[in-house]
Amino acid sequence: NIGGLGNVADSLAAVREAVFERGDVDAGTLAAALATNFQETEPLRQRLMGCPRYGNDDPRVDELASQIAKIVFTELRRYAPWRGGRFIPGCLMFVTYADAGRPVGATPDGRLAGEPIADSIGAVQGRDRHGPTALIRSVASIPQHLAPGTLVTNFRFARSMFEGEG
């Protein structure tokens, strides 16, 4: 069961943009900020939060998510449990993503230590800003044929979207 795929993609996109493309921060300073959970570096965290995000049909981030998923899913499929059979990769977290984030330190996507990680194969909660079609297109970029163990995408809609005559 893979957790936090959206965080990893967003983190790699943030490092690529902030460190290598824009040069906002050097790698050592970023590592120090992560080690201190962004204490006294909130402006840096905010810059990282403004980087491209998975779940918005952005090929720059979706390609990273796809590459990560392919590597992880392929690697897991190489191994067998001690009782026999095979491992079947999946991304199925529902409500466990909050607890799964507790032991995880701060991440380069601006996530603070202990905060929830991304829910299943979808975007980090609240980071998909371009509507459900964009989220579906991002999720569709993942090599799902390599993970037959259930890939879940949860959609959250504002109640106001369903109010009124139409």
Side-chain angles (χ1 to χ4, degrees):
N1 192 23
I2 309 304
L5 177 63
N7 296 98
V8 175
D10 289 355
S11 291
L12 289 174
V15 169
R16 178 176 57 199
E17 183 170 302
V19 175
F20 296 104
E21 293 175 356
R22 290 191 327 222
D24 291 342
V25 62
D26 63 77
T29 302
L30 176 57
L34 294 172
T36 63
N37 199 29
F38 293 103
Q39 288 181 354
E40 300 181 26
T41 57
E42 184 62 22
L44 170 59
R45 187 173 95 82
Q46 291 304 315
R47 283 198 310 268
L48 295 169
M49 295 288 288
C51 290
R53 302 297 193 188
Y54 170 71
N56 294 293
D57 192 22
D58 185 332
R60 297 173 297 170
V61 189
D62 294 351
E63 180 59 30
L64 290 170
S66 177
Q67 289 176 8
I68 295 160
K70 182 178 181 181
I71 290 166
V72 172
F73 295 160
T74 300
E75 187 65 16
L76 281 173
R77 292 168 62 110
R78 292 182 52 217
Y79 300 95
W82 65 273
R83 289 182 158 174
R86 64 184 187 138
F87 287 115
I88 301 175
C91 293
L92 177 64
M93 295 195 76
F94 292 119
V95 297
T96 59
Y97 61 91
D99 286 338
R102 285 187 185 161
V104 179
T107 51
D109 60 344
R111 185 191 142 277
L112 295 173
E115 289 185 342
I117 59 172
D119 172 16
S120 302
I121 199 169
V124 174
Q125 300 80 324
R127 291 186 184 169
D128 51 320
R129 301 287 187 174
H130 295 271
T133 303
L135 177 59
I136 290 169
R137 290 176 57 94
S138 290
V139 169
S141 73
I142 303 299
Q144 298 179 29
H145 67 284
L146 296 175
T150 307
L151 297 174
V152 172
T153 305
N154 290 311
F155 288 83
R156 292 163 185 89
F157 297 96
R159 182 180 305 273
S160 61
M161 291 181 63
F162 300 100
E163 295 173 348
E165 293 288 322

